[in-house]
Amino acid sequence: MPVDAPALSLVGLHKRFGRTIAVDGLDLDVPTGSLYGLVGPNGAGKTTTLSMATGLLTPDAGTVLVHGTDLWKDPDHAKPMLGVLPDGLRTFDRLTGAELISYSGLLRGMNPATVEARRDDLLAALDLEVYSRILVTDFSAGMNKKISLACALIHAPRVLMLDEPFEAVDPVSAGAIRRILSSFVASGGTVIMSSHVMALVERVCDHVAIIGGGRVLAYGTLDEVRAGTDLEDRFVTLVGDVGEHRDLTWLQQS
Amino acid sequence: MVATILRLRLTTTIHQLRREWWRMLMLIGGAIWTLSLLPSVAITARALALRTTGVRTDAYTAIVTVLMIGWVVVPILIAGLDDSLDPARFASLGIGIRRIMPGLTVSAFLTIPALFFLTALFVFSTSWLPDGGEVFAVALAGALLSLATMILSARVSVMWIARLLQSRRSREIAFLVTLVGVFLLAPLASIVLADGLETILEYDATPILDSIRLTPIGAPIGAASAASAGQWSAVWWRLALSTGWVLLLWLTWRVNVKHVLVHPISRGGGTKAREDSMLAVALRVENRSGRPIGRWVGRWVGCPPRAVVAIRARAIRYWFTDARYLAAILSVTVFPVLFFFLVYPAFGSPVAVVMAVPLLLAGTIGWGRHNDVAYDSTALWLDVVAGRLGRAVMWGRTTATLVWAVPVVGAGIVAALVIGGRTDLAPGVIGASLGVLGTSLGVSAITSVVLPYRAPVPGENPFSAQVGSIGAGLFAQAISSLASWVVAVPVVLPLVAALAWDASWGWVGLVTGTATGVVALVLGVRWAGTLYDRRSGRLVAAVA
């Protein structure tokens, strides 16, 4: 495989739900060794795209290539390369934090001794040691995100697909996660993350793609997409501002 | 507030009907069926109007007692019927108990079963008309009180059982209490009913019914009969007793709702800590023989052994701690226990029926798993994303079910053989039961992957009806029960032969039944696993 082959290649992805077209011919190439940000308004199709790219949702049309391997035709080779953190899905909350991470490792066929060592590393790195013996059902939303991230990391994947990884995560943990992702990328891994928060994407990512209406509206390195202005301004220009500015005068306190 | 809650209920129902036209069919079907029952109600009322007061009183006491038991027990046994407004959903709206209670009460009385029973009880009370207008008035008041008792008892019992199953500490206590209760009451019931039902009806029925009339359950009927005898003081205290009981039930319900409004399940604040048993199990299995013991099984069933160990451990954890799974175990074991300790001693049964009970038990357990995958809800993303683990998932889940199913079916077999007294049928019954268990679990494995529908989500009331479940659910249930019956027939034949002709057919049944069960289970799970992998991209959406 050529060294500069993209880590993830989405070619012509289509998905419709009833009458709504969620993803409309989406093409994207994510270079290896990049921290790629996917931004877009609510309902743009980010989560649907990431679901199709991780094997959770069958695309109506299109191909997903992970380091050149077709995900849907050859999942045995493609899925071990992926680490997935989805958004808005439940977890096995009758297990404790430590058990959930161990479960994720054992599912991948890892040696239990390795699983144990890595699980302890992850719990320490993500500041979850105190909660390792508590059931996941008693976790807060941020802890849920962190434990799911740990589940995505345990098998040392080559490509990480993270849907809103920093949502509800406190700044200290966010810093820890940023460090983990940066060193992962520096060593040759690839991270694709989606977010609403422009400041976060500007700070963390080196590449970005703006998605709207089920299509990629702009993509490239951060500077290319920003094109001299703020990322948020470029985003609003491409996606369009709120139609009508209405003042909620009855909400004013005086 | 009452109007708002009623409007909320109406709007939810209309949206549900619009979304699933099956529900509309069921609604219309249910309405027609209940209407068709009204003539028989009218005929009963007419017939009893012509009898003496004593007979009429006894008959109505018996009828009302049975109906009362039905109202309390049926919502628990048949999950998915409770479509009332769940008070837990109001928790985040910050509505106080005082504002919400009247609305909930009125909405509980405006369900189709409640309206049907109102009509039926009204028709029943008309049979007191010949005794005079005042007696009819008392009977009417009694009917309304009976209806209120039935509805409120149902509300209270469902909430109590759901709360019991969801709280970790009370669950253990409840299990112990039930176990002790069964072991104490069962022999008592056997002794009491040992002489058979006819003697009971002859000698004991009237005193039993009289004592029921002293309790709040039978008090309304007692009031009507006292009115027709002219004992008005007795009428007043019976009506007062009944009203007091209704008030007590309503207050209990209110206390429950108040608790549920401020104690949401998902924000429990856990205190129970446990070690990583997942890894402990995996390490134990690995170390047992120096290499994963499941390797030969894995090659047989065609799946990675470490994944199977992990999935099975996870499923076992859910079986013994999750309210929905516990509710499933509960509803499966109620019928055999009732049969062996109440029905059989009272009525007696032909040997075939007694021997059929463990088979029914095995079949119910197997069929009950026909939507097994959906119980994970969207959490199954972790299994889907980890690779092509279809066979491992289905094998792990099925073996976790077998962990409790085999002992339970074994207990059923022992009970049937001992209580039925035909130990020579043992091999036949064992073979047939294991065969039915294996085949029905195999069929269920396939239907849970091919026809999944939304199941109660973790933390929800395990007995509630699910949006999106009726149409898909009915179809899946119909197909899975049909398939289970068809596949079970060859397994049951040797037992039938053993019962009809010669008990030594049972040995044939032992061999063929067990073999068929095991083979059907393994093949079913294998095929289900392959289908799981093929459909993995549609599963999350199907169970969401």
Side-chain angles (χ1 to χ4, degrees):
Chain A
M1 238 167 284
V3 152
D4 45 57
L8 183 74
S9 211
L10 307 175
V11 183
L13 284 183
H14 274 273
K15 186 71 189 175
R16 85 189 294 164
F17 298 111
R19 253 178 287 173
T20 328
I21 299 181
V23 177
D24 190 15
L26 193 141
D27 296 303
L28 191 67
D29 282 330
V30 175
T32 315
S34 64
L35 227 168
Y36 214 101
L38 289 181
V39 299
N42 300 327
K46 302 191 300 294
T47 301
T48 315
T49 308
L50 282 173
S51 302
M52 288 195 283
T54 53
L56 289 173
L57 185 65
T58 318
D60 291 338
T63 327
V64 176
L65 296 168
V66 180
H67 281 286
T69 320
D70 190 324
L71 174 73
W72 288 97
K73 292 218 176 71
D74 189 11
D76 290 333
H77 289 109
K79 281 187 179 175
M81 289 195 266
L82 286 178
V84 181
L85 172 61
D87 184 45
L89 299 181
R90 311 184 72 96
T91 44
F92 290 118
D93 48 19
R94 287 271 147 197
L95 303 177
T96 65
E99 282 171 346
L100 190 62
I101 303 179
S102 310
Y103 177 72
S104 179
L106 291 170
L107 272 189
R108 305 257 184 188
M110 288 168 63
N111 187 332
T114 321
V115 170
E116 189 171 6
R118 291 193 191 178
R119 177 204 70 187
D120 293 336
D121 284 343
L122 283 165
L123 288 171
L126 291 168
D127 193 26
L128 285 170
E129 270 163 328
V130 179
Y131 304 104
S132 65
R133 298 168 72 228
I134 309 280
L135 293 187
V136 171
T137 188
D138 298 325
F139 278 17
S140 68
M143 282 157 33
N144 248 304
K145 275 284 170 184
K146 288 198 284 183
I147 204 84
S148 301
L149 180 64
C151 293
L153 293 174
I154 186 149
H155 61 289
R158 290 176 70 183
V159 180
L160 283 175
M161 317 267 291
L162 314 175
D163 201 344
E164 307 269 3
F166 294 100
E167 189 181 17
V169 172
D170 66 272
V172 176
S173 306
I177 295 174
R178 256 200 332 271
R179 277 191 294 280
I180 295 174
L181 295 181
S182 307
S183 62
F184 175 69
V185 165
S187 70
T190 317
V191 174
I192 298 129
M193 56 171 265
S194 83
S195 185
H196 294 295
V197 185
M198 296 301 140
L200 183 73
V201 170
E202 276 187 299
R203 193 172 168 188
V204 173
C205 303
D206 49 42
H207 287 70
V208 76
I210 301 181
I211 297 184
R215 301 203 171 108
V216 175
L217 301 173
Y219 65 95
T221 65
L222 201 54
D223 292 321
E224 282 169 16
V225 174
R226 267 199 292 217
T229 62
D230 204 358
L231 184 62
E232 190 162 341
D233 292 336
R234 186 82 210 283
F235 179 90
V236 169
T237 321
L238 281 168
V239 165
D241 203 348
V242 172
E244 188 194 322
H245 284 273
R246 188 179 288 213
D247 288 325
L248 302 174
T249 50
W250 42 265
L251 195 56
Q252 313 295 340
Q253 289 300 305
S254 59
Chain B
M1 198 63 197
V2 173
T4 314
I5 293 186
L6 287 179
R7 198 164 47 228
L8 177 69
R9 175 106 190 280
L10 187 65
T11 319
T12 336
T13 318
I14 290 178
H15 284 302
Q16 272 182 352
L17 290 175
R18 237 188 257 161
R19 215 183 136 174
E20 310 147 17
W21 51 275
W22 288 84
R23 231 182 237 268
M24 178 75 87
L25 274 181
M26 278 218 7
L27 198 67
I28 296 175
I32 294 177
W33 183 71
T34 48
L35 282 176
S36 71
L37 287 177
L38 281 177
S40 27
V41 168
I43 293 172
T44 319
R46 195 77 227 288
L48 285 171
L50 298 171
R51 294 266 186 282
T52 64
T53 316
V55 173
R56 200 184 306 150
T57 320
D58 285 342
Y60 277 139
T61 317
I63 290 175
V64 167
T65 315
V66 168
L67 291 178
M68 198 80 71
I69 295 177
W71 268 89
V72 168
V73 161
V74 167
I76 299 172
L77 282 185
I78 306 180
L81 285 186
D82 185 14
D83 61 352
S84 59
L85 288 177
D86 188 5
R89 305 231 177 118
F90 290 95
S92 59
L93 292 174
I95 304 178
I97 183 76
R98 230 177 262 181
R99 295 184 63 199
I100 198 180
M101 210 51 207
L104 281 184
T105 316
V106 174
S107 112
F109 280 81
L110 289 181
T111 62
I112 293 200
L115 293 172
F116 167 69
F117 273 82
L118 180 66
T119 328
L121 288 174
F122 176 78
V123 172
F124 279 143
S125 46
T126 57
S127 54
W128 294 94
L129 266 174
D131 284 352
E134 309 129 339
V135 181
F136 174 60
V138 169
L140 206 57
L144 289 171
L145 287 169
S146 292
L147 181 69
T149 317
M150 286 176 201
I151 292 174
L152 291 174
S153 314
R155 297 277 112 249
V156 168
S157 76
V158 168
M159 282 196 88
W160 263 354
I161 299 252
R163 238 176 106 178
L164 216 61
L165 289 175
Q166 276 156 349
S167 154
R168 290 162 218 164
R169 211 179 312 145
S170 57
R171 193 164 46 226
E172 283 139 27
I173 300 175
F175 179 67
L176 281 171
V177 167
T178 319
L179 213 59
V180 167
V182 166
F183 278 113
L184 280 182
L185 289 177
L188 268 172
S190 307
I191 295 170
V192 163
L193 298 166
D195 292 327
L197 195 62
E198 273 113 37
T199 27
I200 294 179
L201 280 177
E202 228 183 290
Y203 297 112
D204 302 323
T206 323
I208 291 179
L209 289 173
D210 280 338
S211 47
I212 290 181
R213 270 192 293 278
L214 292 173
T215 65
I217 296 174
I221 318 292
S225 81
S228 70
Q231 301 159 336
W232 288 98
S233 53
V235 171
W236 288 122
W237 79 254
R238 280 175 213 256
L239 285 180
L241 178 66
S242 211
T243 319
W245 184 245
V246 167
L247 272 171
L248 186 67
L249 283 174
W250 185 80
L251 283 170
T252 318
W253 186 29
R254 186 178 194 274
V255 164
N256 261 313
V257 172
K258 195 170 176 188
H259 180 268
V260 160
L261 281 178
V262 292
H263 286 88
I265 299 289
S266 49
R267 293 283 183 263
T271 48
K272 190 169 180 183
R274 55 198 316 164
E275 297 302 331
D276 187 347
S277 67
M278 187 76 47
L279 214 47
V281 167
L283 283 166
R284 196 172 59 226
V285 168
E286 295 268 328
N287 294 334
R288 209 177 272 164
S289 52
R291 52 200 166 95
I293 195 171
R295 200 168 276 168
W296 64 273
V297 172
R299 233 180 288 130
W300 204 27
V301 188
C303 56
R306 281 188 186 128
V308 176
V309 167
I311 292 168
R312 180 167 50 229
R314 188 252 301 163
I316 289 177
R317 167 69 62 81
Y318 270 80
W319 269 110
F320 295 115
T321 58
D322 192 315
R324 306 164 298 155
Y325 289 91
L326 288 172
I329 300 182
L330 183 75
S331 48
V332 154
T333 49
V334 165
F335 169 70
V337 167
L338 278 179
F339 179 84
F340 283 126
F341 296 119
L342 285 176
V343 175
Y344 182 74
F347 297 96
S349 279
V351 174
V353 173
V354 177
M355 295 306 144
V357 170
L359 268 71
L360 268 174
L361 176 62
T364 324
I365 293 177
W367 182 80
R369 300 292 92 227
H370 71 275
N371 195 27
D372 202 28
V373 170
Y375 275 78
D376 277 345
S377 191
T378 49
L380 57 87
W381 71 262
L382 194 52
D383 293 337
V384 170
V385 134
R388 281 213 295 196
L389 291 176
R391 283 184 188 165
V393 169
M394 297 318 296
W395 190 238
R397 300 193 71 99
T398 314
T399 43
T401 312
L402 286 174
V403 162
W404 68 268
V406 169
V408 167
V409 170
I413 294 174
V414 167
L417 291 172
V418 165
I419 294 179
R422 289 281 307 268
T423 43
D424 57 325
L425 288 171
V429 173
I430 295 175
S433 309
L434 291 179
V436 169
L437 185 65
T439 52
S440 54
L441 278 177
V443 168
S444 291
I446 297 172
T447 51
S448 61
V449 170
V450 172
L451 297 169
Y453 57 93
R454 195 170 179 272
V457 170
E460 250 183 16
N461 181 352
F463 305 109
S464 64
Q466 296 300 310
V467 175
S469 72
I470 286 285
L474 273 182
F475 184 64
Q477 287 170 18
I479 296 280
S480 55
S481 34
L482 190 66
S484 301
W485 278 109
V486 165
V487 176
V489 163
V491 169
V492 175
L493 282 177
L495 180 62
V496 172
L499 280 167
W501 300 310
D502 185 13
S504 54
W505 272 100
W507 293 103
V508 174
L510 179 64
V511 172
T512 59
T514 321
T516 317
V518 169
V519 166
L521 183 67
V522 171
L523 285 181
V525 168
R526 264 188 86 114
W527 195 19
T530 321
L531 290 168
Y532 186 104
D533 291 326
R534 226 182 279 166
R535 304 189 82 240
S536 56
R538 273 165 279 178
L539 283 174
V540 173
V543 302

